[in-house]
Amino acid sequence: MPRVESGLEVLVHGTPALLRGLRVGLLAHQASVDRRYRHAALLLGDLRGVRLARLFAPEHGLWGAAQDHARIAPARDPTTGLSVWSLYGAQREPTRAMLRGLDALVVDLQDVGARYYTFVWTAALAMRACARAGVRVVVLDRPNPLGGARVEGNVPDPAFASFVGLHPLPARHGMTLGELAAYLNEVHALGCDLTVVPMKGWRRAMDWEDTGLPWVAPSPNMPTPDTARVYPGGCLLEGTNLSEGRGTTRPFEWIGAPYLDGHRYAAALTALALPGVGFRPARFRPTFHKWAGRECDGVQVHVTDRARFKPFLTGLAEIAVARRQAPRDFAWRRPPYEFERRRLPIDILCGTDRVRRALERGAPLAAIERTWRRDLARGRAARAPYLAYR
């Protein structure tokens, strides 16, 4: 199996002089580990000549205990004794006071390859704040668990910018966090003094299992690489009253609601002949979140061909069929959602209201998919100069 070294491992074992003599902060979460499961905070703290002075936490907190949308309060890390400043809540970017005295901010966050996953936007806001404060940013790169070869989904309208899409990116963007940092810094003029520590051995066509790196859930409802594969479509269901499987052992893979007939739902989805995916009738009872304690009828989403699977299109299909089969019971989720109080959650997830309106009109999925092909081609061209791996 190929050996991939994360940016954290490359820094610690190959280029520690990059931080020598500096007072640094660390933006990290529970998946910020090396292949021996040692956390970045401990590894950086042990580097000779480096003073780790402060920790910053994204959504779900430093150790990933908080569920989605839970505001994270400042805390103290019992292992290092350092203060942990929250960047998910009333404050979503570091203030000058939080950055005072730092020479550099190290960012080590495992992303999952979908634009709605908030870690990339936390990193972008931190880069912008560091630019204003004169603090260097060092991003330690990690694999995109969806690989870097395929790009899918629409490119948002900037008018719909939100914390699940501050800048236009395809739903499945096909970039690593380091590539995204370089792209956003230049294309969207964040202006920070940026260094990306690249991985060794990663290739764009790799599945997560090809990397040899351990999977640590970067958030509570991202337990396996299989979850990440369906997430660019499964997350769209957060904009509806369908359960996306939160509160179960298969989040984003179990989809349903008490008002559906799972066998009928599975049959209709199967009839669409979507690439690389199968649907099995399923029943589940969420322990929390939507329909907590209620039995839901629906499907389990089974990825049968990773190379052909289109998660974003599949998520739209799951919504379209549910609306058609239960028009009186299906509903769009109302705001607030991810700090947005006016627009519908489905609209900020899609970065437009055009997708929702097309679903409401009953437009064929193939016709909806055609609407974003030109923008997607332009997006692929725009990202090309920032791709650091073959």
Side-chain angles (χ1 to χ4, degrees):
M1 178 178 290
R3 178 184 174 91
V4 173
E5 293 183 45
S6 67
L8 173 63
E9 293 170 319
V10 171
L11 174 74
V12 170
H13 301 298
T15 58
L18 184 65
L19 299 180
R20 193 161 294 151
L22 302 184
R23 193 170 189 262
V24 303
L26 173 64
L27 170 55
H29 54 27
Q30 72 274 13
S32 306
V33 299
D34 69 1
R35 66 181 53 253
R36 293 170 60 187
Y37 302 99
R38 295 176 299 183
H39 196 268
L42 299 179
L43 292 171
L44 295 187
D46 287 342
L47 285 181
R48 182 177 300 176
V50 178
R51 182 180 175 190
L52 181 62
R54 212 162 295 149
L55 300 174
F56 297 88
E59 184 179 8
H60 310 294
L62 183 63
W63 300 108
Q67 285 294 331
D68 62 309
H69 305 143
R71 306 295 178 97
I72 308 300
R76 186 165 294 279
D77 174 43
T79 304
T80 62
L82 296 173
S83 58
V84 184
W85 290 99
S86 169
L87 299 182
Y88 189 82
Q91 193 67 46
R92 276 165 279 156
E93 63 180 73
T95 64
R96 282 189 175 271
M98 293 178 190
L99 296 171
R100 188 170 295 128
L102 297 182
D103 301 302
L105 176 68
V106 177
V107 179
D108 186 16
L109 297 171
Q110 178 61 62
D111 188 42
V112 301
R115 74 163 172 257
Y116 347 100
Y117 212 54
T118 60
F119 297 154
V120 65
W121 307 121
T122 297
L125 290 176
M127 289 166 61
R128 188 174 68 184
C130 285
R132 292 195 298 261
V135 175
R136 293 171 52 194
V137 175
V138 178
V139 173
L140 309 183
D141 212 3
R142 290 184 175 271
N144 183 327
L146 307 182
R150 292 181 66 92
V151 178
E152 190 208 352
N154 72 311
V155 178
D157 178 345
F160 286 77
S162 74
F163 201 56
V164 287
L166 287 177
H167 299 291
L169 288 176
R172 178 181 176 179
H173 50 67
M175 300 175 79
T176 68
L177 187 68
E179 291 172 333
L180 281 167
Y183 171 82
L184 294 170
N185 195 43
E186 185 163 332
V187 174
H188 294 286
L190 301 184
C192 86
D193 179 359
L194 174 68
T195 300
V196 176
V197 179
M199 297 174 278
K200 287 185 178 179
W202 189 72
R203 298 292 180 267
R204 310 201 77 78
M206 281 183 170
D207 289 326
W208 179 269
E209 291 81 356
D210 297 329
T211 68
L213 293 171
W215 179 264
V216 175
S219 57
N221 289 285
M222 198 61 60
T224 72
D226 288 336
T227 322
R229 290 186 186 105
V230 299
Y231 178 78
C235 184
L236 294 174
L237 278 76
E238 291 187 16
T240 75
N241 67 346
L242 293 166
S243 169
E244 66 272 14
R246 291 184 189 273
T248 77
T249 56
R250 306 302 293 189
F252 304 106
E253 294 179 69
W254 283 346
I255 306 298
Y259 56 76
L260 290 175
D261 178 323
H263 288 271
R264 184 167 167 250
Y265 189 46
L269 286 167
T270 300
L272 295 173
L274 296 165
V277 65
F279 301 93
R280 179 185 62 81
R283 290 184 178 88
F284 57 92
R285 192 186 303 269
T287 57
F288 61 87
H289 218 269
K290 297 176 194 169
W291 306 112
R294 298 276 303 276
E295 185 170 285
C296 293
D297 246 34
V299 297
Q300 181 166 353
V301 181
H302 294 271
V303 178
T304 57
D305 186 336
R306 296 173 188 170
R308 297 178 62 239
F309 177 53
K310 295 182 176 181
F312 186 75
L313 190 67
T314 300
L316 294 181
E318 291 159 2
I319 294 171
V321 172
R323 285 191 77 255
R324 187 168 65 244
Q325 292 193 346
R328 293 185 179 180
D329 297 303
F330 175 89
W332 300 113
R333 181 175 176 174
R334 309 301 300 180
Y337 176 83
E338 287 292 1
F339 310 103
E340 167 63 45
R341 297 188 173 276
R342 185 169 58 89
R343 298 189 189 274
L344 288 177
I346 189 63
D347 291 349
I348 64 167
L349 284 165
C350 290
T352 179
D353 60 4
R354 293 176 60 192
V355 173
R356 170 178 56 83
R357 293 182 187 282
L359 291 171
E360 290 173 341
R361 290 194 306 271
L365 289 172
I368 297 174
E369 188 177 26
R370 283 195 295 272
T371 65
W372 63 66
R373 284 181 179 166
R374 186 174 298 176
D375 286 344
L376 193 59
R378 283 197 290 261
R380 290 180 69 96
R383 75 174 192 149
Y386 304 93
L387 301 184
Y389 309 91
R390 291 186 287 121

